[in-house]
Every structure is written in structure tokens, then in C-alpha cells.
Amino acid sequence: MSCPGNHEYGSAEAYKSYNLRYPMPFAQSGSSDPNYWSRDIGPMHVVSLNSYASSKPGSYQYKWLSQDLKSFDRQKTPWLLVIMHAPWYNSNLGHYGEAKA
């Protein structure tokens, strides 16, 4: 299980090679984009987000995440694990604002 990063975003092919090599279970989680998805794995609900796609209110990723977080059962899967390549916020001057979308 993986999530895309800046190297997949930066090329003109924008995620094509990544998505072919590493297919993720996006459709099963109700996502229309293979670059953000979720899946229950044992007692965990794993959410993979795309740091380089818009996460503003109203964006596809934001709407999907809002719906996904409402839909999983904390009694069945009490742990929530979120992965992403770059944090939405950091104070590291070397990467400041890197994934601001």
C-alpha cells in the first residue's frame, strides 16, 4: 500500500507510471481517483491521501475524505491511520509550503 509523492506529480505524465505499477484499492473505497483511497486492514482503517492534490473544502479529495471518515465503523476498526507523502503543514524551511494545495 502506498501514496504518491512529488516525483510522480512533477512529470508531464502526472501519476500514470505510478498508477500502473502500484494499483491501489480506490474504487472499493468510493474514491474516483486512484491517488487517494482507504481500506480496512485488521483493526485499522487506513486512509491514503495525495499531498499534491487539492484538499480545500469543496475539492474532490476533501469531499471524499469527509464521506469516508463518516462511513467507517470505529467499533469494528478502532484505529485510524492516515498516510501522505508530505504533511499539509510543516515549519521546516527546506520544505516550507511544499504540498500546499
Side-chain angles (χ1 to χ4, degrees):
M1 310 314 289
S2 66
C3 62
N6 57 316
H7 293 276
E8 289 76 36
Y9 172 74
S11 71
E13 294 184 0
Y15 307 111
K16 288 182 183 181
S17 295
Y18 170 79
N19 289 328
L20 286 171
R21 287 188 178 108
Y22 310 108
M24 293 296 121
F26 72 99
Q28 297 91 326
S29 66
S31 174
S32 60
D33 188 322
N35 297 305
Y36 48 89
W37 53 269
S38 69
R39 181 176 190 151
D40 289 344
I41 302 174
M44 292 186 302
H45 184 70
V46 179
V47 176
S48 175
L49 298 175
N50 184 348
S51 302
Y52 300 93
S54 179
S55 58
K56 295 176 183 175
S59 68
Y60 290 117
Q61 183 170 222
Y62 182 94
K63 289 180 195 176
W64 169 81
L65 179 60
S66 295
Q67 195 61 35
D68 184 73
L69 293 176
K70 292 176 189 173
S71 69
F72 82 100
D73 183 357
R74 294 298 294 252
Q75 297 298 319
K76 181 181 157 198
T77 51
W79 293 96
L80 173 62
L81 176 75
V82 179
I83 61 174
M84 63 185 87
H85 183 74
W88 281 327
Y89 170 82
N90 76 60
S91 58
N92 179 335
L93 293 179
H95 296 279
Y96 184 75
E98 179 179 321
K100 192 172 185 178

